[in-house]
Amino acid sequence: MSTDRLELVKGSFEKKALPADVPQKKVSDYFGELVFDRVKMRKYLDAKTLASLLDCIDNGVSLDRETADLVAKGIKEWALEHNVTHVTHWFQPLTEGTAEKHDSLIDYDGKGGIIETFDGSSLVQQEPDASSFPSGGIRETFEARGYTAWDPTSPVFIMDDTLCIPTVFISYTGEALDYKTPLKKALKAVSDAAVPICRLFNPDVSKVYSYLGWEQEYFLVDEALYAARPDLMITGRTLMGHASSKNQQLDDHYFGAIPPRVAEFMRDLEIAGHKLGIPIKTRHNEVAPNQFELAPIYGEANLSNDQNQLVMNLMRKIARKHGFVALLHEKPFDGINGSGKHNNWSLGTDTGTALLAPGKDAKGNLQFVTFFVNVLVAVQKHNALLKASIASATNAHRLGANEAPPAIISAFLGRTMTGVLRKLLEVPSGTPIEIAGKQGKSVGLVEIPEIFVDNTDRNRTSPFAFTGNRFEFRAVGSSANCAGPLTVLNAAVAMQLTDFKKDVDKRMASGAPLDIAVMDSLKPLIASVIDTVCFDGNGYSDEWKEEAARRGLDVETSVPEMFKAFTSPEALEMFTATGVYSEKELAARNEVKWETYTKKVQIEARVMGRMAINHIIPAAIEYETAILKNMSLYKDVFGDCGKLVTDKEILDKISGHVEDIRTKVDRMKEARKKANVIADEYHKALAYREIAESLAGIRRPIDKLEEIVDNRLWPLPKYRELLFIS
Ligand code: ADP
Ligand code: MG
């Protein structure tokens, strides 16, 4: 066994970079090749069908069955040209990742032969057996039916030999069983709430888009070493492992040269992504060794989120081709940075105005400040809920640890915007918010310099940071479905915008001009957020934890407890008023969250126990035996001497750690037995949280043993081996 590990390590060092499948073309020649996008729609659909489909996509007008048949016909023709043999509805259940059930396109032709078929009904709706997906008890066992329904706003695509149709997943009684349905509802809610405000400034606005640009962080490890680590394979993270002598302290990995084996993987990933119409733009090394990041050009949130799910699938698949495993877990390795997925988020109108970027004139700036402040108010009111939206058993290892993000949701504004807001509180309403001209000549009282977009100061410790034309929600975990947090964010902003508009309307009804009415409504809001949710200091400091509690922000650190924010009276009111979640859905989803939390910890605890007993203790005892044999030989030759004293000390240390591990593993097993009989999911998750906390205590003596035991006997690839190969 021991030599096996060293062989594996040697093998992985010897692996050569496998060349990527690079097409001899420009990216623009194959970009979107495997997507039924507008270009294909124009080619494969007749004018009338095309017009109806675009009306459906752009304006939400529903498609009749006849048109759906014609759309399906066009898609089928395109798909067969790409040698497609199967079709699947592609959806995002409340598990991690996506789900698909492939059906072959074949059917009898009625003349004794076989033909390929695909019609409107298979495009529009399917009925997968929903009983094996989490539903939090929405579906009683006798009603296992769930439906997937086509989402025309996210284009159909081809993966290998399969035509994939992005769909929502709902229960027989209409409740959402997935991530996409509530996201779509929240996107509609924020548009419905924002449009009337935009129209105060520009009557031509008829739709507001929510944009998402995600930054996906991940680790790569050699696949052979991965296979020798049961913890990585089963839980996605290392449950034990002593820190390497060198990790990220030299800061030499971030933006460093990408190792050739990794570069080839990235090229393959980008090519596959580009063919699927995913505008992958940025790739670089991240802070931790073997950690990388990939980011696309931002896009409409629903589509961009689908693309993130696709990229995660592609990563896992393509990494294997290059002899790697892509780790999307938030904290695969202790002691070095974990992985997040910054959600860059903004709003923009169908007339092309970015609502979270400074405007071109005083009016534009007033509109910008209006949206900016209302977002802050939403984040303030729902800060516990926003935290709950990013909380999970896996992200818990990042939350509150001394790296992004702190377990408190605050917003970073930067000096410029903090200054602007403070000044607005001082000047009379109606004072134009002017932009400094190109020559730097200031013509107004409240300035937003033009260089602003480029010079926002960075604060990496903030979970929700303004970065010039967008907010970066940085607390999202690398393995998460962005739809979870984006649903909450958009719904909370929608609710706040609706309340705000009512206030402005009241003022305008009593005669106030627009700019005065808006500013009079904004002032109390600015005053309420500026010294509460807005915080530009160090989010990792202990003082901030105390200060945040004083400011009334949510400082809960227990993940199962955090989920309760979803069913608080404020959340319930907000979600039902915006039509995003019903009370039943919220309760059911929390059941799923608690259950998932419990299961994840339960699996980790089992793996930890078995590895401790079956891997670590035997290695420790083997080393003990070797020392004892050596001592006995020594004694035979030299008689009792000083050396035996130090050997005895080592033996004491080893058996002390072994004893410690045994006791703690037994205790953990007992705790699990007790937790397992708790019927209620919330209390069970609370009990499992304690078990999760106890794993660190088992890990400590194991990591100490790793430092003592003969390197050749150690049964697991070590951090220095896992982290510095590629
Ligand atoms: P950084 O690492 O400096 O935060 P990156 O360039 O890695 O920045 O990622 C920034 C992400 O933000 C990209 O996906 C980019 O397309 C996206 N983005 C830029 N502007 C906006 C915007 N207005 N709304 C939403 N996302 C945006
Ligand atoms: Mg970023």
Side-chain angles (χ1 to χ4, degrees):
M1 178 66 214
S2 49
T3 42
D4 286 353
R5 168 180 140 253
L6 297 175
E7 283 298 316
L8 288 178
V9 173
K10 198 166 139 258
S12 65
F13 267 106
E14 282 165 1
K15 271 186 198 151
K16 294 273 177 300
L18 185 76
D21 298 329
V22 188
Q24 297 300 312
K25 293 182 200 166
K26 296 198 296 292
V27 175
S28 54
D29 292 333
Y30 57 84
F31 187 84
E33 192 175 282
L34 299 176
V35 183
F36 195 72
D37 54 15
R38 286 177 194 234
V39 178
K40 314 304 184 306
M41 287 175 196
R42 277 195 288 276
K43 184 168 169 203
Y44 291 89
L45 304 179
D46 63 73
K48 192 162 158 265
T49 311
L50 174 70
S52 309
L53 180 57
L54 293 182
D55 210 19
C56 168
I57 295 171
D58 296 332
N59 308 316
V61 178
S62 63
L63 275 191
D64 58 51
R65 193 37 220 282
E66 229 169 278
T67 315
D69 274 336
L70 292 169
V71 174
K73 191 165 158 271
I75 293 178
K76 184 181 129 192
E77 191 187 339
W78 167 72
L80 290 180
E81 285 171 12
H82 283 86
N83 303 319
V84 160
T85 56
H86 287 70
V87 60
T88 183
H89 275 199
W90 182 79
F91 57 104
Q92 300 166 29
L94 298 175
T95 51
E96 267 162 32
T98 55
E100 37 197 271
K101 175 183 152 232
H102 297 197
D103 283 323
S104 156
L105 292 175
I106 58 164
D107 206 349
Y108 290 118
D109 66 356
K111 298 176 221 149
I114 287 282
I115 49 160
E116 274 78 18
T117 64
F118 177 62
D119 60 11
S121 69
S122 350
L123 171 67
V124 172
Q125 186 181 316
Q126 267 187 8
E127 193 186 325
D129 175 13
S131 57
S132 343
F133 293 104
S135 71
I138 283 177
R139 278 176 285 97
E140 301 303 330
T141 31
F142 57 83
E143 188 42 87
R145 266 184 293 177
Y147 295 94
T148 51
W150 178 35
D151 170 17
T153 59
S154 182
V156 166
F157 59 92
I158 295 171
M159 192 66 118
D160 304 322
D161 58 1
T162 303
L163 181 67
C164 302
I165 300 162
T167 57
V168 295
F169 182 38
I170 52 175
S171 77
Y172 181 66
T173 41
E175 283 88 11
L177 296 173
D178 66 348
Y179 282 105
K180 191 189 252 285
T181 309
L183 175 63
K184 285 181 70 80
K185 287 181 180 170
L187 296 177
K188 181 172 183 312
V190 84
S191 179
D192 289 350
V195 165
I197 296 178
C198 293
R199 283 198 180 143
L200 296 173
F201 297 90
N202 174 4
D204 295 339
V205 172
S206 58
K207 193 168 176 178
V208 165
Y209 291 99
S210 174
Y211 294 109
L212 166 67
W214 41 267
E215 301 165 53
Q216 179 73 53
E217 291 181 340
Y218 61 99
F219 280 85
L220 289 176
V221 291
D222 186 89
E223 124 182 290
L225 300 179
Y226 168 87
R229 293 276 324 207
D231 48 356
L232 264 187
M233 278 187 76
I234 298 172
T235 73
R237 74 176 181 111
T238 55
L239 298 172
M240 52 193 69
H242 195 280
S244 163
S245 316
K246 170 184 181 241
N247 45 48
Q248 63 190 45
Q249 63 275 66
L250 295 178
D251 285 334
D252 52 355
H253 190 67
Y254 192 53
F255 283 8
I258 298 172
R261 216 177 130 198
V262 175
E264 294 300 318
F265 154 75
M266 285 178 170
R267 279 168 77 177
D268 261 347
L269 178 61
E270 281 171 11
I271 292 160
H274 287 153
K275 284 187 179 170
L276 285 165
I278 306 169
I280 299 175
K281 175 96 174 156
T282 309
R283 59 180 181 206
H284 61 76
N285 286 359
E286 258 305 324
V287 174
N290 274 17
Q291 192 187 28
F292 307 92
E293 181 186 295
L294 172 137
I297 301 171
Y298 70 96
E300 188 278 320
N302 174 45
L303 176 58
S304 182
N305 185 48
D306 282 358
Q307 294 179 335
N308 177 246
Q309 289 295 311
L310 263 176
V311 158
M312 288 162 75
N313 291 348
L314 289 176
M315 264 182 183
R316 290 196 186 96
K317 213 163 76 181
I318 295 171
R320 283 303 175 120
K321 201 183 129 196
H322 292 267
F324 288 123
V325 174
L327 303 177
L328 295 169
H329 193 289
E330 281 78 0
K331 194 76 182 172
F333 303 99
D334 203 35
I336 55 173
N337 274 20
S339 298
K341 178 152 54 195
H342 294 179
N343 278 205
N344 293 269
W345 170 84
S346 68
L347 296 171
T349 66
D350 57 349
T351 53
T353 304
L355 294 170
L356 291 172
K360 291 192 186 73
D361 50 23
K363 200 170 151 198
N365 281 339
L366 183 61
Q367 177 171 261
F368 158 55
V369 171
T370 298
F371 279 92
F372 184 76
V373 170
N374 278 290
V375 169
L376 296 174
V377 175
V379 174
Q380 163 138 327
K381 281 191 184 157
H382 298 285
N383 77 94
L385 182 61
L386 280 164
K387 187 165 72 185
S389 78
I390 55 93
S392 67
T394 51
N395 207 19
H397 297 286
R398 288 171 74 230
L399 278 173
N402 219 16
E403 59 163 291
I408 300 158
I409 301 293
S410 61
F412 169 84
L413 308 190
R415 241 169 304 137
T416 312
M417 283 315 292
T418 307
V420 167
L421 293 193
R422 289 209 190 278
K423 200 148 187 182
L424 284 174
L425 287 179
E426 288 162 16
V427 298
S429 295
T431 307
I433 310 173
E434 298 277 0
I435 296 174
K438 274 235 157 67
Q439 310 80 359
K441 195 179 72 175
S442 166
V443 281
L445 284 169
V446 183
E447 295 167 36
I448 304 175
E450 231 169 47
I451 44 159
F452 178 76
V453 171
D454 301 319
N455 82 345
T456 44
D457 21 4
R458 291 269 170 169
N459 178 331
R460 293 275 168 195
T461 70
S462 176
F464 194 80
F466 183 63
T467 48
N469 60 354
R470 61 190 189 269
F471 280 95
E472 255 187 64
F473 194 6
R474 300 205 184 113
V476 184
S478 52
S479 72
N481 186 314
C482 308
L486 281 187
T487 299
V488 171
L489 180 59
N490 284 295
V493 169
M495 179 81 178
Q496 176 54 32
L497 290 174
T498 304
D499 290 348
F500 179 79
K501 177 70 171 41
K502 280 187 204 143
D503 196 45
V504 172
D505 284 349
K506 240 187 279 161
R507 292 178 202 272
M508 288 179 75
S510 48
L514 173 67
D515 52 349
I516 306 269
V518 168
M519 195 44 74
D520 281 350
S521 294
L522 282 176
K523 276 186 174 176
L525 298 181
I526 296 174
S528 75
V529 296
I530 193 80
D531 291 312
T532 43
V533 80
C534 300
F535 175 67
D536 281 9
N538 178 5
Y540 300 160
S541 69
D542 288 333
E543 299 86 75
W544 171 232
K545 284 177 201 151
E546 287 162 28
E547 169 69 18
R550 266 198 301 278
R551 291 182 182 197
L553 298 177
D554 185 88
V555 294
E556 181 60 62
T557 54
S558 156
V559 166
E561 209 61 71
M562 286 177 201
F563 294 150
K564 288 225 139 169
F566 273 101
T567 50
S568 72
E570 312 87 73
L572 218 58
E573 191 202 339
M574 185 275 282
F575 282 130
T576 46
T578 51
V580 170
Y581 287 122
S582 68
E583 188 170 357
K584 189 174 170 191
E585 284 172 321
L586 287 168
R589 279 168 182 257
N590 264 5
E591 291 288 299
V592 174
K593 282 174 194 284
W594 284 315
E595 206 182 321
T596 308
Y597 179 91
T598 294
K599 284 183 182 160
K600 291 233 161 178
V601 178
Q602 190 176 51
I603 292 168
E604 285 196 352
R606 284 188 190 137
V607 173
M608 175 60 118
R610 287 178 194 158
M611 285 175 74
I613 304 299
N614 302 338
H615 286 70
I616 305 304
I617 292 184
I621 291 175
E622 198 175 338
Y623 187 49
E624 262 183 334
T625 312
I627 295 175
L628 280 167
K629 275 189 192 148
N630 178 264
M631 283 169 84
S632 143
L633 284 173
Y634 232 93
K635 209 169 160 193
D636 289 349
V637 179
F638 301 109
D640 267 331
C641 64
K643 179 183 183 300
L644 299 182
V645 178
T646 51
D647 280 353
K648 173 89 180 18
E649 275 168 15
I650 294 174
L651 286 177
D652 284 346
K653 268 194 196 150
I654 295 176
S655 48
H657 292 319
V658 166
E659 211 36 53
D660 193 18
I661 294 170
R662 282 206 177 108
T663 321
K664 284 175 177 163
V665 168
D666 285 346
R667 218 183 292 148
M668 176 194 57
K669 278 191 191 152
E670 282 308 309
R672 253 158 56 206
K673 264 188 213 150
K674 281 201 196 116
N676 288 346
V677 295
I678 302 175
D680 162 67
E681 293 296 348
Y682 163 64
H683 288 102
K684 193 172 188 170
L686 284 183
Y688 262 97
R689 180 176 182 248
E690 286 184 24
I691 295 170
E693 308 265 288
S694 76
L695 296 189
I698 304 177
R699 176 184 187 136
R700 229 169 289 122
I702 295 178
D703 291 355
K704 290 239 171 73
L705 281 174
E706 189 187 315
E707 280 208 296
I708 301 172
V709 170
D710 183 346
N711 183 49
R712 287 168 307 172
L713 297 177
W714 198 250
L716 303 168
K718 299 184 173 184
Y719 270 28
R720 64 161 192 265
E721 295 156 353
L722 289 165
L723 284 170
F724 292 95
I725 296 171
S726 26

